[in-house]
Amino acid sequence: MDLYQQIFENNKKWIADKKATNKEFFTQLAEGQNPDILYIGCSDSRVTAEEMTGVAPGQMFVHRNVANLVPNNDNNSASVVLYAVNHLKVKQIVVCGHYFCGGIKAAMQAQDLGILNPWLRSIRDVYRTHKTELNQIQDENIKYNRLVELNVQEQCINIVKMACWQKSFLTNGGPEVHGWVFDVESGELIDLKIDIDTILEDIREIYDLGTTK
């Protein structure tokens, strides 16, 4: 049996397992969702949000794309954030990158990648902003992994720039924004402990959309 067919067999087993422990499991799922966390991660097949965090269905609203970006010209990720903040009322927003990210590495190659060029340019802009620090790192793997961390930080900043987040922050002080990195070599989930309050103060003069007035 190939993987495609195996998926449907896995699904049947999953349904049976869930009903064995809770007969109302799917009825309860159908009633709606009330997640506490919005998770924005990479599309990489090695990194699955639910498995590495151990959360149950309904606890985490998930959005994934190449290199976990939240660029200002992407209606997809912007719609996800707005829906999570305004309608789901999530308490936490997490941007999670991972070491040895193919999207990060591709962005640093001097080559034309066609339709990927405008998407990956967001990562190149992060490199440009932190060029002095990154160019001092001699080991290429360490450099790329540091760029993974800086890219996560920049996407957290992009969320803080958004009107829906600023309005929510003014109203109830949230949701909190966090930056994580998943280490694919160890399986460890790392909290980068990004100081959003300090970042907000640093950028308020430029990116305040009038929501605090």
Side-chain angles (χ1 to χ4, degrees):
M1 183 182 298
D2 62 20
L3 178 58
Y4 182 80
Q5 292 299 326
Q6 185 65 50
I7 286 172
F8 292 94
E9 295 302 317
N10 293 346
N11 175 249
K12 292 176 182 177
K13 183 178 183 303
W14 177 70
I15 293 172
D17 290 344
K18 290 299 182 182
K19 287 184 174 180
T21 56
N22 180 5
K23 292 181 180 180
E24 303 300 320
F25 179 82
F26 293 104
T27 301
Q28 292 166 356
L29 279 190
E31 292 174 353
Q33 58 174 329
N34 186 32
D36 287 334
I37 298 173
L38 166 61
Y39 173 97
I40 300 173
C42 183
S43 297
D44 192 294
S45 62
R46 300 166 295 177
V47 185
T48 57
E50 295 84 355
E51 185 175 7
M52 72 179 181
T53 59
V55 299
Q59 292 184 316
M60 183 181 286
F61 193 55
V62 177
H63 175 71
R64 297 172 68 181
N65 60 45
V66 174
N68 43 271
L69 300 184
V70 192
N72 66 349
N73 60 350
D74 177 41
N75 288 335
N76 191 349
S77 59
S79 298
V80 168
V81 174
L82 186 146
Y83 184 74
V85 172
N86 288 1
H87 300 282
L88 297 178
K89 307 296 184 183
V90 297
K91 299 179 179 64
Q92 317 280 341
I93 299 177
V94 171
V95 179
C96 185
H98 65 96
Y99 293 140
F100 303 104
C101 177
I104 295 292
K105 192 166 186 177
M108 298 318 302
Q109 306 305 309
Q111 56 181 312
D112 182 358
L113 296 172
I115 192 67
L116 285 174
N117 286 338
W119 186 259
L120 297 180
R121 192 176 71 185
S122 296
I123 303 170
R124 293 175 177 138
D125 288 342
V126 176
Y127 192 109
R128 174 178 53 79
T129 302
H130 299 277
K131 181 176 66 174
T132 300
E133 174 188 347
L134 291 167
N135 284 349
Q136 292 176 350
I137 302 174
Q138 300 302 313
D139 185 291
E140 287 299 305
N141 285 331
I142 295 176
K143 178 186 292 187
Y144 285 134
N145 286 345
R146 177 55 180 154
L147 182 54
V148 165
E149 297 172 347
L150 293 170
N151 180 58
V152 166
Q153 175 178 288
E154 196 65 30
Q155 305 319 308
C156 290
I157 293 172
N158 285 343
I159 291 170
V160 169
K161 294 175 184 177
M162 298 175 67
C164 64
W165 185 87
Q166 291 187 20
K167 289 177 182 177
S168 179
F169 180 80
L170 174 64
T171 303
N172 54 36
E176 297 179 358
V177 180
H178 305 278
W180 298 351
V181 171
F182 178 66
D183 186 344
V184 295
E185 285 190 317
S186 68
E188 182 182 4
L189 197 58
I190 302 166
D191 186 348
L192 297 178
K193 301 187 183 304
I194 294 171
D195 188 344
I196 291 299
D197 289 337
T198 298
I199 290 173
L200 183 61
E201 289 303 316
D202 288 343
I203 70 173
R204 189 189 300 275
E205 179 181 358
I206 300 172
Y207 295 103
D208 189 343
L209 298 177
T211 59
T212 58
K213 297 176 182 177

